[in-house]
């Protein structure tokens, strides 16, 4: 709770009317020689919420005359116009564009959905900010994945878990991060199973009858799980199609590759769905289909800046799977030069060059 919120709370605690609270706040802040943008935005938001548009107008006029503020909070001005049903004319649009040109980084204008409709400058700036934000996120993700692969390569397990936790917190819905997390969980599960098997083999003689019985029970559990997933698919197709993607992740985690592809075909198209499909096609050895899909994704209008790295990585895996080792190595080497330690690039290059 900031200082303005505390003052509002204290005034209301005194059983003051909304008019008294508004006047008291304005009287206090108008005494200040200058007002920072946070104070102006907080006061503007409160006055608009309280429906005191005339007070807001007088507040702005006084601040401008006395040069208390450096930038005009255009977003709140337009919001007040909309609430008071003041028509937005061509002259108003020209005024908006003029003010935006004088203060291009003023945040209330950039955050206003209304101004976005009437100002080409703001609309363009918002798209640029969005693109910049996505690019920065991709750069952060790439650096963290680079560090993750370094830690994995040098078997620094605690550091690997720490970086993976950061990735999971920053990119909770990112398919690539989800796959990295799943790979870590699978390795841990394999380690536990290996220790258990070693312990059993040392502790007592092998009983083939028991092993066969356990295998049958495990297979039955797997068959039941696949059957239940299929039942859920049929239910979600009509009732909750947005849940199909989560169901495809579940199927993928249990290596039901063909079932995963079936579910993804019924899943509403999204960026994450397409790249999960690419990962599944690789895992089930459908390399030609993978190359065809990657080409489609690269030419898609919804492609993101970081998709290029994933495309090169999966292409290399596909070509290697098709027996074109030299081309696969060249692709991974180019990826390694531009994004060192991307996923398992370094480990794969080392392995492929030894074979």
């Amino acid at each position: 709770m900031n200082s303005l919120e505390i003052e509002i709370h204290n005034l209301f605690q005194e059983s003051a009317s909304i008019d008294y609270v508004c006047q008291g706040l304005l009287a206090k802040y108008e005494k200040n020689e200058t007002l920072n943008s946070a104070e102006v935005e907080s006061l503007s938001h409160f006055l608009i919420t309280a429906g005191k548009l005339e007070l807001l107008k007088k507040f702005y006029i006084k601040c401008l005359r006395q040069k208390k503020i450096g930038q005009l909070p255009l977003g709140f001005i337009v919001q007040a116009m909309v609430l008071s049903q003041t028509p937005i004319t061509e002259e108003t649009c020209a005024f908006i564009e003029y003010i935006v040109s004088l203060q291009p980084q003023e945040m209330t204008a950039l955050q206003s959905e209304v101004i976005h409709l009437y100002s080409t400058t703001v609309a363009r700036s918002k798209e640029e900010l969005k693109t910049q934000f996505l690019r920065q996120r991709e750069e952060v993700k790439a650096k963290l994945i680079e560090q993750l692969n370094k830690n994995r390569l040098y078997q620094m397990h605690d550091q690997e878990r720490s970086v993976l936790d950061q990735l999971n917190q920053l990119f909770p819905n990112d398919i690539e991060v989800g796959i990295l997390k799943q790979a870590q969980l699978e390795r841990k599960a394999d380690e536990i199973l290996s220790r258990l098997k070693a312990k059993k083999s040392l502790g007592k003689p092998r009983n083939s009858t028991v092993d066969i019985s356990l295998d049958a029970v495990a297979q039955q559990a797997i068959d039941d799980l696949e059957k239940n997933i299929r039942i859920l698919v049929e239910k979600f197709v009509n009732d909750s199609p947005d849940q199909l993607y989560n169901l495809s992740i579940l199927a993928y985690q249990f290596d039901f590759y063909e079932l995963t592809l079936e579910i993804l075909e019924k899943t509403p198209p999204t960026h994450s769905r397409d790249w999960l499909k690419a990962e599944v096609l690789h895992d089930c050895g459908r390399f030609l289909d993978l190359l065809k899909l990657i080409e489609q994704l690269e030419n898609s209008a919804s492609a993101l800046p970081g998709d290029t790295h994933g495309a090169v990585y999966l292409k290399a895996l596909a070509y290697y799977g098709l027996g074109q080792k030299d081309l696969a190595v060249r692709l991974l080497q180019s990826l390694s030069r531009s994004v060192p330690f991307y996923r398992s690039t370094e480990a794969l290059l080392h392995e492929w060059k030894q074979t």
Side-chain angles (χ1 to χ4, degrees):
M1 184 178 288
N2 60 37
S3 59
L4 179 63
E5 291 173 331
I6 293 171
E7 290 174 37
I8 294 171
H9 175 74
N10 291 337
L11 286 168
F12 276 120
Q13 286 292 99
E14 299 171 7
S15 301
S17 66
I18 188 71
D19 290 326
Y20 178 82
V21 173
C22 292
Q23 295 289 355
L25 289 173
L26 288 174
K28 176 182 176 179
Y29 281 93
E30 285 173 356
K31 291 178 183 177
N32 296 349
E33 290 186 7
T34 59
L35 293 172
N36 61 45
S37 58
E39 291 171 331
V40 174
E41 289 177 22
S42 296
L43 278 168
S44 300
H45 177 73
F46 177 71
L47 291 172
I48 286 177
T49 304
K52 302 300 179 181
L53 303 182
E54 279 301 315
L55 287 178
L56 181 70
K57 177 181 175 182
K58 292 176 182 177
F59 170 62
Y60 287 157
I61 291 172
K62 187 174 289 187
C63 285
L64 288 171
R65 283 176 177 169
Q66 297 176 2
K67 298 182 179 180
K68 290 178 178 289
I69 56 177
Q71 291 187 318
L72 191 66
L74 191 57
F76 289 113
I77 292 174
V78 174
Q79 185 182 356
M81 291 176 65
V82 172
L83 290 174
S84 63
Q85 298 183 340
T86 302
I88 297 180
T89 62
E90 290 184 9
E91 289 78 8
T92 306
C93 291
F95 170 75
I96 290 172
E97 289 284 34
Y98 173 68
I99 297 299
V100 168
S101 70
L102 294 178
Q103 45 183 50
Q105 301 301 318
E106 201 277 309
M107 291 308 298
T108 68
L110 293 174
Q111 292 166 352
S112 171
E113 292 299 327
V114 179
I115 295 180
H116 181 272
L117 298 175
Y118 293 99
S119 170
T120 55
T121 305
V122 169
R124 185 169 58 251
S125 296
K126 287 185 73 170
E127 284 303 312
E128 290 172 355
L129 284 173
K130 181 180 177 182
T131 301
Q132 182 182 4
F133 172 74
L134 291 174
R135 184 168 58 249
Q136 288 173 344
R137 278 179 62 83
E138 286 298 326
E139 289 172 358
V140 169
K141 188 175 82 168
K143 287 180 181 178
L144 286 172
I145 290 177
E146 174 187 341
Q147 186 61 51
L148 177 74
N149 284 307
K150 281 183 180 178
N151 294 337
R152 183 174 295 170
L153 191 63
Y154 296 110
Q155 298 185 347
M156 300 165 66
H157 301 305
D158 290 341
Q159 293 87 336
E160 179 188 348
R161 281 193 295 272
S162 176
V163 174
L164 197 50
D165 287 341
Q166 288 183 59
L167 279 165
N168 208 40
Q169 289 173 2
L170 292 171
F171 309 95
N173 300 315
D174 187 279
I175 182 61
E176 186 178 4
V177 173
I179 291 169
L180 291 171
K181 182 72 173 175
Q182 182 60 31
Q184 186 208 38
L185 293 174
E186 287 175 358
R187 285 201 309 276
K188 288 174 66 177
D190 289 343
E191 290 171 6
I192 293 170
L193 286 172
S194 297
R195 288 199 296 269
L196 286 173
K197 287 179 181 178
K199 186 175 180 181
K200 285 181 179 179
S201 63
L202 290 172
K204 55 184 179 182
R206 180 177 176 83
N207 186 326
S208 60
T209 306
V210 173
D211 288 342
I212 293 171
S213 176
L214 287 173
D215 289 344
V217 171
Q219 187 59 50
Q220 184 60 51
I222 291 171
D223 292 342
D224 289 344
L225 176 61
E226 184 174 2
K227 180 181 177 182
N228 289 329
I229 291 176
R230 289 186 181 278
I231 291 171
L232 286 173
V233 169
E234 295 306 314
K235 176 179 172 60
F236 287 164
V237 164
N238 297 318
D239 298 344
S240 306
D242 56 313
Q243 293 297 319
L244 287 172
Y245 177 72
N246 294 330
L247 206 56
S248 69
I249 291 286
L250 177 64
Y252 181 55
Q253 289 174 340
F254 284 95
D255 296 341
F256 298 147
Y257 298 137
E258 292 303 324
L259 175 56
T260 304
L261 292 172
E262 289 176 27
I263 299 171
L264 290 173
E265 288 301 318
K266 300 175 182 180
T267 302
T270 62
H271 181 267
S272 298
R273 182 204 71 165
D274 294 337
W275 283 97
L276 174 59
K277 184 178 180 181
E279 295 284 351
V280 179
L281 287 173
H282 166 258
D283 288 345
C284 62
R286 291 171 54 176
F287 302 122
L288 288 175
D289 290 334
L290 172 57
L291 289 172
K292 188 185 299 183
L293 176 60
I294 290 298
E295 183 179 355
Q296 294 172 0
L297 296 180
E298 285 182 307
N299 297 323
S300 170
S302 61
L304 298 176
D307 290 349
T308 303
H309 308 317
V312 173
Y313 181 80
L314 287 173
K315 276 183 185 177
L317 295 180
Y319 282 122
Y320 187 83
L322 292 169
Q324 299 187 42
K325 174 185 169 183
D326 291 341
L327 176 55
V329 168
R330 287 201 299 273
L331 284 170
L332 275 195
Q333 285 175 333
S334 69
L335 179 61
S336 179
R337 285 192 294 270
S338 58
V339 191
F341 297 100
Y342 181 83
R343 292 182 64 170
S344 302
T345 300
E346 300 299 321
L348 284 173
L349 278 172
H350 178 75
E351 177 185 335
W352 291 355
K353 288 177 180 179
Q354 300 302 312
T355 58

